[in-house]
Each structure stands twice: as structure tokens, then as C-alpha cells.
Amino acid sequence: MVDEASTQPPTDVLVVGAGPVGLVAAIDLARRGVVVRIIDKLPEPTDESRAVVLHARSLELLDQLGVLDEIAATGVRTTGAQMHANGSLLGRVGFDTIDSPFPYSITIPQTDTERILRERLSSLGVEIERGVTYTGLEQDASGVRANLTHSDGTTEIARVEWLVGSDGAKGAVRHSLGLKLEGVFQGERFLMGDVDADFAHQKQSFHIFFSPGDAVGMLFPMAGKRVRVICQIPADTPETREPTLGWLQESVDEREMDVRIESSRWLTIFEIHHAQVPRYRTGRSFLAGDAAHVHSPAGGLGMNTGIQDAFNLTWKLAAAVQGEASEVLLDSYHDERHPVAADVIKFTTELTHAGTLNSPFAREARDLLMKAGLELRLARHSMANEIEQMTVEYRYAPLGETGHRGPVRAGDPVRAVAEVGLWPALAHRDPSGSGYAFVLVADEAGAFPDQAAPAGAQTIRVAPTTDSGDLADPERRVAARYGLDERGGAILVRPDGYIAAISDAEHPTDIDAYIAAVSAAPSEALR
């Protein structure tokens, strides 16, 4: 039976897939006042821990969603990564040098991450519709009609304004849009265990082992004795071999990981390719997370990249729901996020290949070069930035091309100024009353700016004292951090915490130009 007159209230956005990516999308949409439905074909949440690392860039976003405190209390703070080979430590990359309010990762089972996100979503009045399978769609300028099948066999045509496919690498949304993952399909297989174990390595780091053989190993300590162990399976291993605790211990021993496994919570084998779809937007439908890109688990970047996909997209959809988003703004999701996944694929591929060298001479050279490199502070800092995804910026995208050329530019993430309290002022504001609105940070120490705030934007005024502004900044630390001269300036912050534009005395119209580019004229409203 087809039920076209759904009992659901009119829906702005349908999110398909209730993993971390879909949950983040639904939370951010709901807190911006968007009517959102989120469905998942699984009748119950997964009990598989899957991804276990949340990096600094993702922590910044989760802080804005109001869930970071509970995530931090549940997980383990990870302050670095250690590289090993042949039973010895090559070096450690510390995360304390990165430019973030949270210079660390948090290692936490995905089951806990999802639970915390579900509870936050529920607090916003949205519940996951489980046992609902997405089977296809039709879309045109007026909206999307998504075909859904419920657990009791009844079918529904869900009429929505926009659709987000976050249903994973094998999900149905990508297929229904006629898109394919494009890339390298000589897949890498991994044996993975979520286990209780004794190990001699630093618990505040995760560990990568470049093995004596031709397959890399990874170790991610969690709370208590719980640890995630991942071992790449050599190419000549029979595909019929089943995962066992004995095989995992054998693999750990071969890589000289110095881990003694006591018991298993979850064992699996998975295969990863290195690929992404050619476009993230098709009409009124968007792909995020594994539905759009897949790559090696080296560095633990998969879930993080997907979470950041969602956070980049949702404020733009909120603008579209209000009829205020131009096509340029909606297209910017692909323009900004597609190159990010391409970089992640390149980085994880190189990291995996570094651990899978067949020649003993090549492995010895790799170990010597890596050990020497990790003794250099600049090299350690560069790798920390890459792992923690602090290199993610959108200067290259069309909307990032503005005139200001200070140390922080349009397309960069917001840079915290701890002494002034700029990060809490930006991250903890309530978006519910302003939908997707921007924030204008105005430095009023100089004669400039006489910058009017865009319609609906909140304004944070930075001044010598709190008597004359919202934040006291007598030493003009914000101006120094953002490259504003004595005449002052204004910084327009996007709803996702990235810089939209910076206006100063030399470029007084940059903010106005940005708003004009991303806003829809009344005749162009995408309702």
C-alpha cells in the first residue's frame, strides 16, 4: 500500500541514515529550526563500535552542537600518535602544537558517540524512525518525493524539500542518484577487533605499526582495558578465512605490537577502497560521509570527514529552507568538501602504502627517514595538523576568494583567541532564534569599521573594555590574530565556524560582496 498522505508534519529535510554523520546533520538542522526527519533501515542502533576517534576539528563542531562535554567524559583524551617499526619507537607526533581550543583527539566507541548524539537529537524533539528503508526518489524544482518502506511492509511517498544521503558506502541514496564511487578498487582488507587487552604502549596516544612484513597495524586505546586493534591483511590471505581471536593475536605478534588480548567484544573483516563520487549534489539531494567517499582507516579520518561534511551542509540547507540560499551557496558544499575528501584519500593512501613495503631495503630506508623526520619539530607539527584535520580550509573555493590577506583569511576556520574568550562567544551562542545566521565580530579600536551587520546576523563587539563592547580586548589580540591594522575591521563568521569574509579599510566591501553571492533574490528563492 502506498500512503501519499503521510501522517508526518510537513518536512523540510529528510536525512537517510542514522549513523554519526546523519545524526550530526539532523541535530544541526533541528537546532536551527528546520523540520527534519531521520530514518534508518536498522530496527535498533548498531552494537558495533566501528569508528573510535574524534579529532580536534570534529571536536570544535561537536562543541557547537552541545555534546562535547559528555563525549569528553565518556572517552579517553588522546594527545598524540606514535609510529613504530620492528618493535621499536620511531617517534611521536604530539597534538599540543595545533591551533585549536581542543589540541587533542578523543577516543570513544562509535556506539557511545551515537548514543550521545541520539540523546541530543531527542532533546530537540526529533526521534529516529527505525526499520524504514529508503528505496528511491523523484525530484524536481518543487521538491523531493522519497519512496520509503516501513518495517510492517507499508510504503510511503515522503514529500520533502531536500534530502541528505548519509547511509554509508553501500547505501541506497547514491545508487538512486545514478552516482558511482570513482577511484582505486584494488581494495585493502583489514582484520579488526574491539578487545580487552594488556599493552605496554602509552595510553594517551594512538599507535601505527609499520610491520616487518607487508601490512600495517593500528592500536587505539579506549577507556579501561578496552582497545581497538586493526591489522591489514596481507594480499595472499584466503578471502574465506574467518576472523578469530587467535588470528588477531597472531597478526598483532607478527607486527611486534606488544599486545596481549584477553577477550573480544567484536571481531570483523572489512575491505576499503579509495574512491569518491564525482559530485556531492544532485538537484535537491546531497551525499555526505561514506556515501560520498571511502578510504583507508589509517589515521582514523573517515567518520571525522563525514561529520564535517554534514556540518558544512546543514546551515546551507537551513538557508535554503528559509528561501534565502543562492545556487552558489548550495553548490559550495561540493566545491568545498570534495577536495577535502580527495586530500584525505591521498594522505591515508600514502600512510598505508608506507606501512606495506615489500622490500626489506625499502622498509629500512622508510624507518630511517621517518625516525629522522619525527625528530624535526616542523615535521611533527605538520603531521599533527594533518591527523587532526587542522589543514581543512576553503580558501580555494569560489566563496573564499576575497581581498583580505592577513594570517587568517576567508575560508579559514575560526581561530580562537583564548585571552579574549572569542571561541566560547562564537561556539556557544544559541542559533534557534536566528536560523542559520552569521556572526559579525567587529573590532572597534580604530576608526573603521562602519560595517553594517547582514540581516539576521548577531554581532560580537570587541573593544578595549566590556563597558564599550561584548568582549574586552585591550591589547587588540583579535586584531593581531586576524591581521587587522589600527583602523580595525569586521570578521563575518559562517554558521559552521569558518570565516566568510573579512572587511578592513583596504577591503571595505568584502562582507557585502559575500552576502550578495550567497543570498537568493526574492525571485530566485529555492522554496
PDB file of all heavy atoms in Angstrom, residues 18-20 23 27 45-46 48 67 69-75 108-123 127-128 130:
ATOM      1  N   ALA A  18      21.180   6.933  10.092  1.00  0.00           N
ATOM      2  CA  ALA A  18      21.275   7.492  11.446  1.00  0.00           C
ATOM      3  C   ALA A  18      22.573   7.099  12.129  1.00  0.00           C
ATOM      4  O   ALA A  18      22.601   6.850  13.342  1.00  0.00           O
ATOM      5  CB  ALA A  18      20.071   7.063  12.284  1.00  0.00           C
ATOM      6  N   GLY A  19      23.670   7.050  11.354  1.00  0.00           N
ATOM      7  CA  GLY A  19      24.989   6.937  11.959  1.00  0.00           C
ATOM      8  C   GLY A  19      25.441   8.307  12.435  1.00  0.00           C
ATOM      9  O   GLY A  19      24.658   9.272  12.453  1.00  0.00           O
ATOM     10  N   PRO A  20      26.711   8.443  12.823  1.00  0.00           N
ATOM     11  CA  PRO A  20      27.185   9.738  13.324  1.00  0.00           C
ATOM     12  C   PRO A  20      26.969  10.890  12.349  1.00  0.00           C
ATOM     13  O   PRO A  20      26.611  11.998  12.754  1.00  0.00           O
ATOM     14  CB  PRO A  20      28.676   9.493  13.578  1.00  0.00           C
ATOM     15  CG  PRO A  20      28.782   8.029  13.812  1.00  0.00           C
ATOM     16  CD  PRO A  20      27.746   7.401  12.925  1.00  0.00           C
ATOM     17  N   LEU A  23      23.228  11.768  12.196  1.00  0.00           N
ATOM     18  CA  LEU A  23      22.807  12.350  13.472  1.00  0.00           C
ATOM     19  C   LEU A  23      23.286  13.793  13.603  1.00  0.00           C
ATOM     20  O   LEU A  23      22.533  14.664  14.046  1.00  0.00           O
ATOM     21  CB  LEU A  23      23.336  11.499  14.624  1.00  0.00           C
ATOM     22  CG  LEU A  23      22.623  10.159  14.819  1.00  0.00           C
ATOM     23  CD1 LEU A  23      23.418   9.268  15.763  1.00  0.00           C
ATOM     24  CD2 LEU A  23      21.206  10.362  15.353  1.00  0.00           C
ATOM     25  N   ILE A  27      20.773  16.944  13.997  1.00  0.00           N
ATOM     26  CA  ILE A  27      20.884  17.827  15.168  1.00  0.00           C
ATOM     27  C   ILE A  27      21.047  19.270  14.733  1.00  0.00           C
ATOM     28  O   ILE A  27      20.356  20.175  15.223  1.00  0.00           O
ATOM     29  CB  ILE A  27      22.059  17.393  16.068  1.00  0.00           C
ATOM     30  CG1 ILE A  27      21.757  16.060  16.749  1.00  0.00           C
ATOM     31  CG2 ILE A  27      22.367  18.464  17.111  1.00  0.00           C
ATOM     32  CD1 ILE A  27      22.964  15.436  17.421  1.00  0.00           C
ATOM     33  N   PRO A  45      19.755   0.468  17.147  1.00  0.00           N
ATOM     34  CA  PRO A  45      21.110   1.003  16.931  1.00  0.00           C
ATOM     35  C   PRO A  45      22.126  -0.126  16.865  1.00  0.00           C
ATOM     36  O   PRO A  45      21.973  -1.163  17.507  1.00  0.00           O
ATOM     37  CB  PRO A  45      21.336   1.879  18.174  1.00  0.00           C
ATOM     38  CG  PRO A  45      19.981   2.171  18.708  1.00  0.00           C
ATOM     39  CD  PRO A  45      19.129   0.984  18.376  1.00  0.00           C
ATOM     40  N   THR A  46      23.173   0.078  16.084  1.00  0.00           N
ATOM     41  CA  THR A  46      24.209  -0.936  15.979  1.00  0.00           C
ATOM     42  C   THR A  46      24.931  -1.126  17.309  1.00  0.00           C
ATOM     43  O   THR A  46      25.086  -0.178  18.097  1.00  0.00           O
ATOM     44  CB  THR A  46      25.224  -0.558  14.888  1.00  0.00           C
ATOM     45  OG1 THR A  46      26.225  -1.584  14.818  1.00  0.00           O
ATOM     46  CG2 THR A  46      25.900   0.769  15.186  1.00  0.00           C
ATOM     47  N   GLU A  48      27.986  -2.415  17.150  1.00  0.00           N
ATOM     48  CA  GLU A  48      29.361  -2.495  16.673  1.00  0.00           C
ATOM     49  C   GLU A  48      30.048  -1.151  16.893  1.00  0.00           C
ATOM     50  O   GLU A  48      29.531  -0.113  16.487  1.00  0.00           O
ATOM     51  CB  GLU A  48      29.382  -2.860  15.188  1.00  0.00           C
ATOM     52  CG  GLU A  48      28.738  -4.207  14.892  1.00  0.00           C
ATOM     53  CD  GLU A  48      28.560  -4.461  13.408  1.00  0.00           C
ATOM     54  OE1 GLU A  48      28.791  -3.511  12.623  1.00  0.00           O
ATOM     55  OE2 GLU A  48      28.184  -5.585  13.039  1.00  0.00           O
ATOM     56  N   VAL A  67      27.447  18.765  22.682  1.00  0.00           N
ATOM     57  CA  VAL A  67      27.631  17.379  23.127  1.00  0.00           C
ATOM     58  C   VAL A  67      29.064  17.077  23.546  1.00  0.00           C
ATOM     59  O   VAL A  67      29.353  15.959  23.981  1.00  0.00           O
ATOM     60  CB  VAL A  67      27.206  16.390  22.018  1.00  0.00           C
ATOM     61  CG1 VAL A  67      25.728  16.526  21.707  1.00  0.00           C
ATOM     62  CG2 VAL A  67      28.047  16.581  20.750  1.00  0.00           C
ATOM     63  N   ASP A  69      31.032  17.988  26.062  1.00  0.00           N
ATOM     64  CA  ASP A  69      31.326  17.672  27.464  1.00  0.00           C
ATOM     65  C   ASP A  69      31.064  16.204  27.765  1.00  0.00           C
ATOM     66  O   ASP A  69      31.867  15.544  28.435  1.00  0.00           O
ATOM     67  CB  ASP A  69      30.502  18.566  28.396  1.00  0.00           C
ATOM     68  CG  ASP A  69      30.975  20.008  28.411  1.00  0.00           C
ATOM     69  OD1 ASP A  69      32.088  20.266  27.899  1.00  0.00           O
ATOM     70  OD2 ASP A  69      30.247  20.868  28.919  1.00  0.00           O
ATOM     71  N   GLU A  70      29.948  15.676  27.288  1.00  0.00           N
ATOM     72  CA  GLU A  70      29.631  14.273  27.569  1.00  0.00           C
ATOM     73  C   GLU A  70      30.552  13.341  26.795  1.00  0.00           C
ATOM     74  O   GLU A  70      30.954  12.294  27.307  1.00  0.00           O
ATOM     75  CB  GLU A  70      28.173  13.975  27.245  1.00  0.00           C
ATOM     76  CG  GLU A  70      27.755  12.597  27.702  1.00  0.00           C
ATOM     77  CD  GLU A  70      26.265  12.343  27.600  1.00  0.00           C
ATOM     78  OE1 GLU A  70      25.524  13.273  27.211  1.00  0.00           O
ATOM     79  OE2 GLU A  70      25.850  11.203  27.897  1.00  0.00           O
ATOM     80  N   ILE A  71      30.894  13.706  25.580  1.00  0.00           N
ATOM     81  CA  ILE A  71      31.834  12.892  24.808  1.00  0.00           C
ATOM     82  C   ILE A  71      33.184  12.842  25.515  1.00  0.00           C
ATOM     83  O   ILE A  71      33.807  11.780  25.640  1.00  0.00           O
ATOM     84  CB  ILE A  71      31.961  13.435  23.378  1.00  0.00           C
ATOM     85  CG1 ILE A  71      30.730  13.055  22.561  1.00  0.00           C
ATOM     86  CG2 ILE A  71      33.234  12.920  22.695  1.00  0.00           C
ATOM     87  CD1 ILE A  71      30.668  13.654  21.184  1.00  0.00           C
ATOM     88  N   ALA A  72      33.646  13.998  26.004  1.00  0.00           N
ATOM     89  CA  ALA A  72      34.934  14.043  26.700  1.00  0.00           C
ATOM     90  C   ALA A  72      34.898  13.224  27.987  1.00  0.00           C
ATOM     91  O   ALA A  72      35.888  12.565  28.345  1.00  0.00           O
ATOM     92  CB  ALA A  72      35.301  15.494  27.003  1.00  0.00           C
ATOM     93  N   ALA A  73      33.763  13.241  28.697  1.00  0.00           N
ATOM     94  CA  ALA A  73      33.646  12.498  29.954  1.00  0.00           C
ATOM     95  C   ALA A  73      33.581  10.992  29.716  1.00  0.00           C
ATOM     96  O   ALA A  73      33.962  10.199  30.582  1.00  0.00           O
ATOM     97  CB  ALA A  73      32.398  12.958  30.709  1.00  0.00           C
ATOM     98  N   THR A  74      33.123  10.588  28.522  1.00  0.00           N
ATOM     99  CA  THR A  74      32.953   9.166  28.224  1.00  0.00           C
ATOM    100  C   THR A  74      34.206   8.563  27.602  1.00  0.00           C
ATOM    101  O   THR A  74      34.525   7.391  27.849  1.00  0.00           O
ATOM    102  CB  THR A  74      31.768   8.970  27.257  1.00  0.00           C
ATOM    103  OG1 THR A  74      30.609   9.587  27.822  1.00  0.00           O
ATOM    104  CG2 THR A  74      31.493   7.503  27.008  1.00  0.00           C
ATOM    105  N   GLY A  75      34.907   9.341  26.801  1.00  0.00           N
ATOM    106  CA  GLY A  75      36.060   8.816  26.075  1.00  0.00           C
ATOM    107  C   GLY A  75      37.383   9.070  26.767  1.00  0.00           C
ATOM    108  O   GLY A  75      37.441   9.491  27.928  1.00  0.00           O
ATOM    109  N   ILE A 108      36.744   7.103  21.571  1.00  0.00           N
ATOM    110  CA  ILE A 108      35.466   6.703  22.162  1.00  0.00           C
ATOM    111  C   ILE A 108      34.771   5.761  21.184  1.00  0.00           C
ATOM    112  O   ILE A 108      34.777   6.006  19.981  1.00  0.00           O
ATOM    113  CB  ILE A 108      34.599   7.958  22.461  1.00  0.00           C
ATOM    114  CG1 ILE A 108      33.228   7.584  23.002  1.00  0.00           C
ATOM    115  CG2 ILE A 108      34.461   8.842  21.236  1.00  0.00           C
ATOM    116  CD1 ILE A 108      32.386   8.791  23.443  1.00  0.00           C
ATOM    117  N   PRO A 109      34.173   4.670  21.651  1.00  0.00           N
ATOM    118  CA  PRO A 109      33.465   3.770  20.726  1.00  0.00           C
ATOM    119  C   PRO A 109      32.338   4.506  19.997  1.00  0.00           C
ATOM    120  O   PRO A 109      31.664   5.371  20.575  1.00  0.00           O
ATOM    121  CB  PRO A 109      32.905   2.682  21.654  1.00  0.00           C
ATOM    122  CG  PRO A 109      33.757   2.739  22.878  1.00  0.00           C
ATOM    123  CD  PRO A 109      34.160   4.165  23.042  1.00  0.00           C
ATOM    124  N   GLN A 110      32.142   4.155  18.747  1.00  0.00           N
ATOM    125  CA  GLN A 110      31.085   4.799  17.976  1.00  0.00           C
ATOM    126  C   GLN A 110      29.712   4.574  18.604  1.00  0.00           C
ATOM    127  O   GLN A 110      28.824   5.420  18.493  1.00  0.00           O
ATOM    128  CB  GLN A 110      31.083   4.277  16.535  1.00  0.00           C
ATOM    129  CG  GLN A 110      30.075   4.976  15.633  1.00  0.00           C
ATOM    130  CD  GLN A 110      30.199   4.574  14.185  1.00  0.00           C
ATOM    131  OE1 GLN A 110      31.309   4.466  13.676  1.00  0.00           O
ATOM    132  NE2 GLN A 110      29.088   4.333  13.523  1.00  0.00           N
ATOM    133  N   THR A 111      29.542   3.443  19.297  1.00  0.00           N
ATOM    134  CA  THR A 111      28.265   3.197  19.964  1.00  0.00           C
ATOM    135  C   THR A 111      27.968   4.280  20.992  1.00  0.00           C
ATOM    136  O   THR A 111      26.825   4.732  21.123  1.00  0.00           O
ATOM    137  CB  THR A 111      28.281   1.823  20.645  1.00  0.00           C
ATOM    138  OG1 THR A 111      29.510   1.673  21.385  1.00  0.00           O
ATOM    139  CG2 THR A 111      28.202   0.704  19.615  1.00  0.00           C
ATOM    140  N   ASP A 112      28.990   4.724  21.719  1.00  0.00           N
ATOM    141  CA  ASP A 112      28.795   5.800  22.696  1.00  0.00           C
ATOM    142  C   ASP A 112      28.582   7.139  22.002  1.00  0.00           C
ATOM    143  O   ASP A 112      27.759   7.952  22.436  1.00  0.00           O
ATOM    144  CB  ASP A 112      29.993   5.882  23.646  1.00  0.00           C
ATOM    145  CG  ASP A 112      30.014   4.754  24.672  1.00  0.00           C
ATOM    146  OD1 ASP A 112      28.928   4.249  25.006  1.00  0.00           O
ATOM    147  OD2 ASP A 112      31.101   4.381  25.122  1.00  0.00           O
ATOM    148  N   THR A 113      29.350   7.392  20.942  1.00  0.00           N
ATOM    149  CA  THR A 113      29.165   8.640  20.190  1.00  0.00           C
ATOM    150  C   THR A 113      27.736   8.736  19.667  1.00  0.00           C
ATOM    151  O   THR A 113      27.075   9.779  19.801  1.00  0.00           O
ATOM    152  CB  THR A 113      30.154   8.703  19.022  1.00  0.00           C
ATOM    153  OG1 THR A 113      31.494   8.649  19.523  1.00  0.00           O
ATOM    154  CG2 THR A 113      29.975   9.985  18.218  1.00  0.00           C
ATOM    155  N   GLU A 114      27.241   7.652  19.090  1.00  0.00           N
ATOM    156  CA  GLU A 114      25.883   7.664  18.563  1.00  0.00           C
ATOM    157  C   GLU A 114      24.852   7.842  19.677  1.00  0.00           C
ATOM    158  O   GLU A 114      23.859   8.562  19.514  1.00  0.00           O
ATOM    159  CB  GLU A 114      25.612   6.378  17.777  1.00  0.00           C
ATOM    160  CG  GLU A 114      26.372   6.306  16.457  1.00  0.00           C
ATOM    161  CD  GLU A 114      25.933   5.109  15.615  1.00  0.00           C
ATOM    162  OE1 GLU A 114      24.925   4.458  15.971  1.00  0.00           O
ATOM    163  OE2 GLU A 114      26.601   4.836  14.604  1.00  0.00           O
ATOM    164  N   ARG A 115      25.066   7.181  20.813  1.00  0.00           N
ATOM    165  CA  ARG A 115      24.119   7.328  21.929  1.00  0.00           C
ATOM    166  C   ARG A 115      24.023   8.777  22.378  1.00  0.00           C
ATOM    167  O   ARG A 115      22.925   9.320  22.578  1.00  0.00           O
ATOM    168  CB  ARG A 115      24.560   6.443  23.104  1.00  0.00           C
ATOM    169  CG  ARG A 115      23.744   6.678  24.372  1.00  0.00           C
ATOM    170  CD  ARG A 115      24.287   5.870  25.529  1.00  0.00           C
ATOM    171  NE  ARG A 115      25.690   6.152  25.800  1.00  0.00           N
ATOM    172  CZ  ARG A 115      26.126   7.227  26.462  1.00  0.00           C
ATOM    173  NH1 ARG A 115      25.268   8.151  26.896  1.00  0.00           N
ATOM    174  NH2 ARG A 115      27.422   7.392  26.687  1.00  0.00           N
ATOM    175  N   ILE A 116      25.166   9.436  22.515  1.00  0.00           N
ATOM    176  CA  ILE A 116      25.182  10.827  22.962  1.00  0.00           C
ATOM    177  C   ILE A 116      24.494  11.722  21.929  1.00  0.00           C
ATOM    178  O   ILE A 116      23.720  12.631  22.272  1.00  0.00           O
ATOM    179  CB  ILE A 116      26.628  11.275  23.228  1.00  0.00           C
ATOM    180  CG1 ILE A 116      27.196  10.514  24.436  1.00  0.00           C
ATOM    181  CG2 ILE A 116      26.714  12.782  23.447  1.00  0.00           C
ATOM    182  CD1 ILE A 116      28.695  10.640  24.595  1.00  0.00           C
ATOM    183  N   LEU A 117      24.761  11.477  20.655  1.00  0.00           N
ATOM    184  CA  LEU A 117      24.123  12.260  19.598  1.00  0.00           C
ATOM    185  C   LEU A 117      22.617  12.000  19.543  1.00  0.00           C
ATOM    186  O   LEU A 117      21.822  12.926  19.336  1.00  0.00           O
ATOM    187  CB  LEU A 117      24.769  11.953  18.254  1.00  0.00           C
ATOM    188  CG  LEU A 117      26.217  12.431  18.067  1.00  0.00           C
ATOM    189  CD1 LEU A 117      26.793  11.888  16.763  1.00  0.00           C
ATOM    190  CD2 LEU A 117      26.302  13.954  18.091  1.00  0.00           C
ATOM    191  N   ARG A 118      22.201  10.750  19.735  1.00  0.00           N
ATOM    192  CA  ARG A 118      20.756  10.439  19.745  1.00  0.00           C
ATOM    193  C   ARG A 118      20.043  11.176  20.867  1.00  0.00           C
ATOM    194  O   ARG A 118      18.941  11.707  20.688  1.00  0.00           O
ATOM    195  CB  ARG A 118      20.524   8.932  19.894  1.00  0.00           C
ATOM    196  CG  ARG A 118      20.811   8.119  18.662  1.00  0.00           C
ATOM    197  CD  ARG A 118      20.180   6.722  18.771  1.00  0.00           C
ATOM    198  NE  ARG A 118      20.548   6.020  19.993  1.00  0.00           N
ATOM    199  CZ  ARG A 118      21.617   5.237  20.110  1.00  0.00           C
ATOM    200  NH1 ARG A 118      22.439   5.077  19.074  1.00  0.00           N
ATOM    201  NH2 ARG A 118      21.876   4.618  21.240  1.00  0.00           N
ATOM    202  N   GLU A 119      20.669  11.200  22.029  1.00  0.00           N
ATOM    203  CA  GLU A 119      20.064  11.887  23.171  1.00  0.00           C
ATOM    204  C   GLU A 119      19.948  13.386  22.906  1.00  0.00           C
ATOM    205  O   GLU A 119      18.947  14.015  23.268  1.00  0.00           O
ATOM    206  CB  GLU A 119      20.877  11.615  24.431  1.00  0.00           C
ATOM    207  CG  GLU A 119      20.794  10.168  24.908  1.00  0.00           C
ATOM    208  CD  GLU A 119      21.776   9.843  26.024  1.00  0.00           C
ATOM    209  OE1 GLU A 119      22.588  10.739  26.373  1.00  0.00           O
ATOM    210  OE2 GLU A 119      21.750   8.698  26.527  1.00  0.00           O
ATOM    211  N   ARG A 120      20.954  13.957  22.271  1.00  0.00           N
ATOM    212  CA  ARG A 120      20.892  15.383  21.932  1.00  0.00           C
ATOM    213  C   ARG A 120      19.786  15.640  20.915  1.00  0.00           C
ATOM    214  O   ARG A 120      19.029  16.618  21.039  1.00  0.00           O
ATOM    215  CB  ARG A 120      22.237  15.830  21.370  1.00  0.00           C
ATOM    216  CG  ARG A 120      22.270  17.269  20.854  1.00  0.00           C
ATOM    217  CD  ARG A 120      22.074  18.274  21.963  1.00  0.00           C
ATOM    218  NE  ARG A 120      22.248  19.635  21.484  1.00  0.00           N
ATOM    219  CZ  ARG A 120      21.355  20.610  21.621  1.00  0.00           C
ATOM    220  NH1 ARG A 120      20.188  20.365  22.230  1.00  0.00           N
ATOM    221  NH2 ARG A 120      21.606  21.818  21.149  1.00  0.00           N
ATOM    222  N   LEU A 121      19.667  14.772  19.926  1.00  0.00           N
ATOM    223  CA  LEU A 121      18.617  14.927  18.924  1.00  0.00           C
ATOM    224  C   LEU A 121      17.239  14.812  19.567  1.00  0.00           C
ATOM    225  O   LEU A 121      16.330  15.590  19.253  1.00  0.00           O
ATOM    226  CB  LEU A 121      18.787  13.869  17.832  1.00  0.00           C
ATOM    227  CG  LEU A 121      17.804  13.931  16.662  1.00  0.00           C
ATOM    228  CD1 LEU A 121      17.936  15.259  15.914  1.00  0.00           C
ATOM    229  CD2 LEU A 121      18.033  12.763  15.709  1.00  0.00           C
ATOM    230  N   SER A 122      17.095  13.858  20.466  1.00  0.00           N
ATOM    231  CA  SER A 122      15.821  13.688  21.158  1.00  0.00           C
ATOM    232  C   SER A 122      15.453  14.916  21.972  1.00  0.00           C
ATOM    233  O   SER A 122      14.280  15.306  22.051  1.00  0.00           O
ATOM    234  CB  SER A 122      15.882  12.453  22.066  1.00  0.00           C
ATOM    235  OG  SER A 122      14.648  12.239  22.712  1.00  0.00           O
ATOM    236  N   SER A 123      16.460  15.567  22.566  1.00  0.00           N
ATOM    237  CA  SER A 123      16.194  16.781  23.353  1.00  0.00           C
ATOM    238  C   SER A 123      15.662  17.909  22.482  1.00  0.00           C
ATOM    239  O   SER A 123      15.044  18.857  22.991  1.00  0.00           O
ATOM    240  CB  SER A 123      17.467  17.233  24.080  1.00  0.00           C
ATOM    241  OG  SER A 123      18.390  17.851  23.169  1.00  0.00           O
ATOM    242  N   GLU A 127      13.012  12.191  16.840  1.00  0.00           N
ATOM    243  CA  GLU A 127      13.341  10.795  17.101  1.00  0.00           C
ATOM    244  C   GLU A 127      13.653  10.090  15.781  1.00  0.00           C
ATOM    245  O   GLU A 127      13.070  10.402  14.741  1.00  0.00           O
ATOM    246  CB  GLU A 127      12.181  10.081  17.794  1.00  0.00           C
ATOM    247  CG  GLU A 127      11.753  10.707  19.118  1.00  0.00           C
ATOM    248  CD  GLU A 127      12.823  10.633  20.202  1.00  0.00           C
ATOM    249  OE1 GLU A 127      13.719   9.753  20.089  1.00  0.00           O
ATOM    250  OE2 GLU A 127      12.766  11.438  21.142  1.00  0.00           O
ATOM    251  N   ILE A 128      14.556   9.140  15.834  1.00  0.00           N
ATOM    252  CA  ILE A 128      14.900   8.349  14.651  1.00  0.00           C
ATOM    253  C   ILE A 128      13.745   7.413  14.313  1.00  0.00           C
ATOM    254  O   ILE A 128      13.204   6.734  15.196  1.00  0.00           O
ATOM    255  CB  ILE A 128      16.179   7.539  14.896  1.00  0.00           C
ATOM    256  CG1 ILE A 128      17.347   8.468  15.232  1.00  0.00           C
ATOM    257  CG2 ILE A 128      16.516   6.678  13.679  1.00  0.00           C
ATOM    258  CD1 ILE A 128      18.566   7.730  15.766  1.00  0.00           C
ATOM    259  N   ARG A 130      13.002   4.108  12.905  1.00  0.00           N
ATOM    260  CA  ARG A 130      13.781   2.896  12.634  1.00  0.00           C
ATOM    261  C   ARG A 130      12.963   1.878  11.854  1.00  0.00           C
ATOM    262  O   ARG A 130      11.739   1.888  11.862  1.00  0.00           O
ATOM    263  CB  ARG A 130      14.293   2.299  13.938  1.00  0.00           C
ATOM    264  CG  ARG A 130      15.330   3.195  14.610  1.00  0.00           C
ATOM    265  CD  ARG A 130      16.267   2.414  15.503  1.00  0.00           C
ATOM    266  NE  ARG A 130      17.407   3.242  15.895  1.00  0.00           N
ATOM    267  CZ  ARG A 130      18.513   3.357  15.183  1.00  0.00           C
ATOM    268  NH1 ARG A 130      18.645   2.700  14.049  1.00  0.00           N
ATOM    269  NH2 ARG A 130      19.502   4.123  15.607  1.00  0.00           N
TER     270      ARG A 130
END
